[in-house]
Amino acid sequence: MGFRFPSMVYAKQLLQRSFSSSKEVPKGYVAVYVGENRMKRFVIPVAYLNQPSFQELLSQAEEEFGFDHPMGALTIPCTEDAFIDLISHLNAQ
């Protein structure tokens, strides 16, 4: 049995907006793929890219994939739960 914190639930709802499944990305947002085995597409605010915690994920992505991303877009090598947790912390700031 897991616990869901309100900010975490809000972050997941924010990330799963209708545009996260479409190919269009609104101005001020960027699409990223997250997951270890099965990649899931998330649309996040561009402002998150400047956050130190997100910069760490970008460094890991660079080490693992370089500039050749298998999904054809930015791929983040972490679990979906870890990514949602990070985003929930960024939303709380």
Side-chain angles (χ1 to χ4, degrees), residues 4 10 15 22 50 57 59-60 64 66 78 87 91:
R4 291 279 182 186
Y10 174 74
L15 291 170
S22 72
N50 291 327
L57 279 181
S59 293
Q60 291 174 9
E64 186 164 330
C78 72
I87 297 304
N91 282 335

Side-chain angles (χ1 to χ4, degrees), residues 22-92:
S22 72
K23 294 295 178 187
E24 294 183 30
V25 178
K27 186 175 182 176
Y29 289 80
V30 63
V32 297
Y33 288 92
V34 177
E36 293 178 322
N37 297 326
R38 189 177 130 240
M39 296 290 181
K40 185 168 182 180
R41 184 176 185 257
F42 291 94
V43 177
I44 61 168
V46 171
Y48 288 175
L49 300 176
N50 291 327
Q51 298 296 322
S53 53
F54 204 89
Q55 291 278 325
E56 187 176 323
L57 279 181
L58 292 175
S59 293
Q60 291 174 9
E62 181 183 14
E63 287 176 19
E64 186 164 330
F65 301 113
F67 294 106
D68 183 28
H69 295 279
M71 298 297 291
L74 183 57
T75 306
I76 306 292
C78 72
T79 65
E80 184 180 332
D81 288 338
F83 184 76
I84 290 171
D85 185 49
L86 170 68
I87 297 304
S88 68
H89 289 290
L90 294 177
N91 282 335

